[in-house]
């Protein structure tokens, strides 16, 4: 293993390095040797290790790398093993539901693309390595009404799950979501499977709250149907899929609400970028991707994600590629904001290395500014209420 990779991880503590190395796509024997040495020399807090692996949703990938790792308690291995079995069963149910949706959407010839986990879990990770809580697609807003009608005919209900039951959303809640967010109220149906009792389907119709001009439609042009006769999904081109992953990650990483929930810097999202780039090194046209990013005016989003993915997984994005996307002003790398349609920004008092694996510290800092955003959120709802009444 190149020493430069280890040097770039030196700002993370030993346990964090362990998590990062075990979740790499290019894990090999040399990494294995270093990890054994790391475990032997350091007093690893295995309770924290297990907690980080689960909370950052990388436990499935880590489990597959445990062969040859010495010094790890049997209890930790067993816990990861049992979770892996559960994730495999959950993914099988998820895959079946996705297949039904894919066939129905293809039959209607909508302009759409499956996103994130639906593609990654079935094409880029082995069974049980990664799980999703829901299934996302991006649709042409002109098809939105018909897509929802199709899902309803398949047994889906717009709402949320409470106490094991689906609570149907009100018309006001559905309207509020479509006017003020980038996705509909989730569509949910019961599956009868104990590992995945409910399947949630999220229909996105914009890149984010700041996308008001239909730029999202650019990403679902020239979609491709990948897979085989047994299972296939319509998704974006290689470059556009990576762009979408970056936009989604950036939006949640810098939004104050996500930060106060501890849902901003979750490692699996950066791991997805790392694994996707590693799997498509020969297929990605960085020049084509650059042109698309500048057209979408999403340079900051992409640079933020590529920059910090390289910090976590050194060797993923070389300097030449980073330079293609570097903005003139990079101060935003140390900032977060209210919502993605807000100009309000706040400066972090902690650097990235202090924030990444310490959600409580991030949450405590961001909570100082949550009041202002809460007032703005409620003012929007009050204005909508006046219009409806």
């Amino acid at each position: 293993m190149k020493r430069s990779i280890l040097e770039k991880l030196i700002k993370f503590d030993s346990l964090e390095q362990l998590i990062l190395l075990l979740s790499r796509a290019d894990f090999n024997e040399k990494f294995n040797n270093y990890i054994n040495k790391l475990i032997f020399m350091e007093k690893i807090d295995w309770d924290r290790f297990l907690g980080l692996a689960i909370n950052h949703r990388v436990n499935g990938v880590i489990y597959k790398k445990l062969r040859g790792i010495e010094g790890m308690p049997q209890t930790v291995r067993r816990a990861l093993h049992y979770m892996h079995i559960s994730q495999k069963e959950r993914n099988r149910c998820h895959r079946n539901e996705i297949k039904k949706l894919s066939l129905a959407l293809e039959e209607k010839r909508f302009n759409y693309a499956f996103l994130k986990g639906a593609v990654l879990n079935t094409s880029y990770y082995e069974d049980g390595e990664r799980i999703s809580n829901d299934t996302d697609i991006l649709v042409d807003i002109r098809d939105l009404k018909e897509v929802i009608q199709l899902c309803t005919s398949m047994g889906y209900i717009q709402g949320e799950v409470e106490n094991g039951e689906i609570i149907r959303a009100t018309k006001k809640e559905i309207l509020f979501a479509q006017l003020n967010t980038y996705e509909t109220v989730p569509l949910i149906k019961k599956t009868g499977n104990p590992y995945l009792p409910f399947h949630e389907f999220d229909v996105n119709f914009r890149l984010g709250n700041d996308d008001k001009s239909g730029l999202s439609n650019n990403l679902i042009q020239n979609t491709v149907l990948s897979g085989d006769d047994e299972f296939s999904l319509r998704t974006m081109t290689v470059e556009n899929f990576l762009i979408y992953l970056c936009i989604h990650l950036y939006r949640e990483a810098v939004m104050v609400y996500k930060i106060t929930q501890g849902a901003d810097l979750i490692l699996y999202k950066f791991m997805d970028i790392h694994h996707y780039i590693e799997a498509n090194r020969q297929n990605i046209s960085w020049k084509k991707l650059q042109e698309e990013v500048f057209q979408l005016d999403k340079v900051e989003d992409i640079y933020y994600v590529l920059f910090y993915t390289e910090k976590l997984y050194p060797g993923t994005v070389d300097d030449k590629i980073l330079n293609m996307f570097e903005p003139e002003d990079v101060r935003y790398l140390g900032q977060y904001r209210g919502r993605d349609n807000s100009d309000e920004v706040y400066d972090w008092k902690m650097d990235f290395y202090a924030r990444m694996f310490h959600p409580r510290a991030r949450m405590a800092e961001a909570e100082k500014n949550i009041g202002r955003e809460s007032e703005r959120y409620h003012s929007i709802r009050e204005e909508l209420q006046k219009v409806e009444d």
Side-chain angles (χ1 to χ4, degrees):
M1 180 174 53
K2 294 182 180 179
R3 183 168 176 77
S4 59
I5 291 180
L6 298 180
E7 290 174 344
K8 291 177 181 179
L9 291 177
I10 199 66
K11 291 188 178 181
F12 295 105
D13 68 32
S14 299
L15 191 151
E16 293 161 1
Q17 289 183 42
L18 189 59
I19 294 283
L20 291 168
L21 291 172
L22 284 169
S23 59
R24 288 185 69 97
D26 56 351
F27 188 86
N28 56 42
E29 189 65 30
K30 291 182 180 179
F31 284 95
N32 201 65
N33 293 337
Y34 176 75
I35 287 172
N36 282 324
K37 185 183 298 183
L38 189 68
I39 293 174
F40 178 76
M41 295 177 62
E42 302 286 344
K43 292 183 178 180
I44 300 296
D45 181 347
W46 291 107
D47 288 340
R48 182 173 177 243
F49 170 85
L50 194 57
L52 283 179
I54 296 169
N55 290 334
H56 284 275
R57 290 169 58 178
V58 297
N59 52 288
V61 171
I62 283 176
Y63 170 73
K64 301 296 286 288
K65 311 287 176 44
L66 293 184
R67 294 177 182 174
I69 301 299
E70 302 172 1
M72 183 175 289
Q74 193 64 28
T75 53
V76 175
R77 291 179 187 271
R78 286 192 185 127
L80 292 172
H81 174 65
Y82 295 143
M83 282 185 284
H84 181 67
I85 294 173
S86 174
Q87 290 186 181
K88 286 180 73 171
E89 293 300 322
R90 179 187 175 92
N91 278 3
R92 286 170 185 166
C93 180
H94 220 145
R95 182 185 176 97
N96 288 336
E97 297 302 325
I98 292 171
K99 181 177 180 179
K100 295 174 190 175
L101 285 167
S102 177
L103 291 172
L105 291 166
E106 279 300 299
E107 186 177 350
K108 293 291 185 179
R109 298 185 180 276
F110 292 129
N111 188 20
Y112 76 98
F114 277 95
L115 307 172
K116 301 184 296 181
V119 177
L120 295 169
N121 290 348
T122 55
S123 301
Y124 290 92
Y125 290 97
E126 293 183 18
D127 198 16
E129 284 190 331
R130 183 189 185 281
I131 59 170
S132 295
N133 293 322
D134 50 35
T135 297
D136 290 84
I137 65 168
L138 180 65
V139 303
D140 188 321
I141 195 168
R142 292 170 293 189
D143 292 331
L144 183 60
K145 184 178 179 180
E146 288 187 65
V147 169
I148 293 174
Q149 289 175 342
L150 173 65
C151 293
T152 301
S153 71
M154 296 174 67
Y156 285 89
I157 298 171
Q158 282 192 279
E160 61 181 345
V161 177
E162 289 185 9
N163 300 319
E165 295 297 330
I166 303 172
I167 306 301
R168 192 180 297 272
T170 65
K171 290 182 179 180
K172 290 180 180 178
E173 289 170 334
I174 292 172
L175 178 61
F176 180 81
Q178 289 187 205
L179 292 178
N180 294 284
T181 72
Y182 48 87
E183 62 184 8
T184 64
V185 171
L187 290 138
I188 307 171
K189 79 168 187 177
K190 288 186 176 182
T191 66
N193 187 302
Y195 292 95
L196 187 71
F198 299 91
H199 182 241
E200 180 178 319
F201 187 43
D202 292 339
V203 182
N204 298 251
F205 50 89
R206 287 197 293 263
L207 293 180
N209 290 330
D210 56 346
D211 175 8
K212 301 294 185 181
S213 58
L215 291 177
S216 56
N217 285 344
N218 286 23
L219 293 184
I220 50 176
Q221 301 303 315
N222 304 313
T223 56
V224 293
L225 190 64
S226 61
D228 51 36
D229 292 339
E230 192 277 326
F231 183 86
S232 62
L233 287 181
R234 182 166 298 282
T235 188
M236 301 172 183
T237 63
V238 172
E239 293 80 16
N240 284 354
F241 191 83
L242 179 57
I243 290 171
Y244 185 85
L245 286 179
C246 291
I247 290 172
H248 178 76
L249 193 163
Y250 176 69
R251 178 174 63 233
E252 297 195 339
V254 300
M255 190 188 298
V256 69
Y257 281 114
K258 289 293 183 180
I259 298 168
T260 55
Q261 295 169 357
D264 50 331
L265 298 182
I266 305 181
L267 183 59
Y268 86 92
K269 298 177 184 178
F270 292 96
M271 182 182 72
D272 285 347
I273 302 295
H274 163 65
H275 277 246
Y276 190 78
I277 291 176
E278 287 294 329
N280 287 288
R281 282 205 179 275
Q282 305 305 316
N283 302 322
I284 298 174
S285 168
W286 289 103
K287 181 63 177 175
K288 183 177 179 181
L289 191 145
Q290 182 189 40
E291 292 172 356
E292 189 72 32
V293 166
F294 276 86
Q295 182 179 348
L296 293 170
D297 193 23
K298 291 293 181 181
V299 177
E300 289 190 354
D301 305 48
I302 273 59
Y303 184 74
Y304 179 100
V305 174
L306 296 181
F307 180 84
Y308 283 125
T309 297
E310 178 61 21
K311 297 296 182 188
L312 294 162
Y313 296 102
T316 305
V317 188
D318 63 39
D319 290 341
K320 182 179 179 180
I321 293 172
L322 279 175
N323 291 338
M324 292 172 65
F325 301 96
E326 184 175 2
E328 290 185 10
D329 188 350
V330 296
R331 286 177 296 177
Y332 78 101
L333 292 173
Q335 296 175 332
Y336 63 99
R337 55 183 175 174
R339 292 176 67 84
D340 49 3
N341 57 357
S342 169
D343 294 327
E344 192 81 38
V345 297
Y346 311 100
D347 291 316
W348 280 110
K349 301 298 186 291
M350 304 179 291
D351 67 18
F352 177 77
Y353 300 97
R355 299 197 306 269
M356 182 64 213
F357 293 102
H358 299 88
R360 289 186 179 180
R362 301 197 308 268
M363 292 164 69
E365 185 172 329
E367 281 171 357
K368 299 173 184 177
N369 298 308
I370 194 67
R372 191 179 312 177
E373 288 303 314
S374 181
E375 290 176 9
R376 193 171 70 85
Y377 173 82
H378 287 295
S379 68
I380 292 174
R381 293 210 66 143
E382 288 172 6
E383 288 300 316
L384 180 61
Q385 184 70 47
K386 292 177 184 177
V387 172
E388 292 173 349
D389 292 344

